[in-house]
Amino acid sequence: RRLAKYGTVDTLKDFVVKKPLPSADTSQKVVQYAEYFYRTAQVINNSVSAANNYITINRGSDDGVTNGMAVISGAGAVGKVIHLSRHYAVVISILSVKQRVSGKLKDGTYGYIEWEGNSPDVLLMKDVSQEIRVKPGDPIYTTSYSFFPADIMIGTVFKIEPVKKNNLQILYLHPSTNFRNLQYVYVVGNTMAAERKQLEDSVKGKP
């Protein structure tokens, strides 16, 4: 568990920043834990009502940010860097119909977290077997299968809808990040990402 030492991402936030960052000063603050490092950034633009929502932050290539880096808040998952300039980056939010995220229940059951383009307060985890016991209040975390570090909070289950025809259930989640009031985030780098990608790419197409 990447952040187990700190307990939660909120604890990591306290460790890095101590207090909320001054609005005019988000000078480069970086902390590293295991193979991950976390850069602070300020949100300067954000949308929550489009089919695909984007966030602009005041960190770019001059600050060491690269495309594909995960972005998290003090509460949980936010999105992924997809465009860069020297001093800014654009992040595609998990509140996007084309941005599915790999997630897991506390028992380790995996699935994909989706947003259907409606309320920014609701995410879905579909195709969960009804044999898996889930109750309101259960947390959903990221996995290492996606661009996020594992065990970052995605959201909390508030509703469970059985699908009788296939013995599955749909889980409705409240995102742990408040996208309506997102002001500061962390851009997450992985020092081992290039090696992993090179290895995985090397076996593509092989029997």
Side-chain angles (χ1 to χ4, degrees), residues 52-89:
N52 295 293
N53 291 290
Y54 300 91
I55 300 161
T56 305
I57 59 174
N58 69 336
R59 290 281 175 261
S61 58
D62 280 6
D63 304 297
V65 176
T66 61
N67 282 328
M69 284 185 170
V71 178
I72 64 175
S73 70
V78 171
K80 178 175 68 175
V81 175
I82 58 167
H83 292 297
L84 284 169
S85 66
R86 289 182 60 194
H87 304 294
Y88 299 97

Side-chain angles (χ1 to χ4, degrees), residues 9-184:
V9 181
D10 278 327
T11 312
L12 177 63
K13 176 182 67 174
D14 295 339
F15 177 78
V16 179
V17 183
K18 304 298 184 184
K19 296 181 181 297
L21 295 173
S23 59
D25 179 20
T26 55
S27 57
Q28 192 80 317
K29 297 181 180 180
V30 182
V31 64
Q32 183 167 354
Y33 179 62
E35 69 264 39
Y36 295 99
F37 53 90
Y38 303 79
R39 288 183 171 89
T40 58
Q42 183 177 2
V43 174
I44 59 175
N45 197 10
N46 182 23
S47 67
V48 297
S49 58
N52 295 293
N53 291 290
Y54 300 91
I55 300 161
T56 305
I57 59 174
N58 69 336
R59 290 281 175 261
S61 58
D62 280 6
D63 304 297
V65 176
T66 61
N67 282 328
M69 284 185 170
V71 178
I72 64 175
S73 70
V78 171
K80 178 175 68 175
V81 175
I82 58 167
H83 292 297
L84 284 169
S85 66
R86 289 182 60 194
H87 304 294
Y88 299 97
V90 172
V91 177
I92 185 168
S93 163
I94 62 172
L95 299 183
S96 298
V97 296
K98 63 180 181 181
Q99 183 61 78
R100 295 201 308 170
V101 177
S102 176
K104 65 181 179 182
L105 298 166
K106 60 184 180 181
D107 70 350
T109 299
Y110 291 88
Y112 282 102
I113 311 303
E114 304 176 8
W115 188 61
E116 294 200 323
N118 299 313
S119 169
D121 301 317
V122 180
L123 296 168
L124 302 182
M125 185 174 183
K126 298 180 178 180
D127 299 332
V128 178
S129 170
Q130 289 188 28
E131 295 179 359
I132 305 300
R133 294 185 178 181
V134 187
K135 63 181 184 301
D138 282 354
I140 307 293
Y141 299 98
T142 58
T143 76
S144 59
Y145 295 171
S146 69
F147 50 89
F148 284 109
D151 302 315
I152 301 296
M153 188 83 152
I154 298 175
T156 304
V157 176
F158 72 89
K159 177 183 174 183
I160 301 160
E161 181 180 301
V163 182
K164 294 181 179 180
K165 66 180 180 179
N166 54 16
N167 200 36
L168 298 175
Q169 54 189 333
I170 300 172
L171 310 183
Y172 291 78
L173 323 176
H174 286 313
S176 55
T177 293
N178 181 2
F179 287 91
R180 299 176 187 272
N181 186 30
L182 189 60
Q183 300 179 45
Y184 298 98

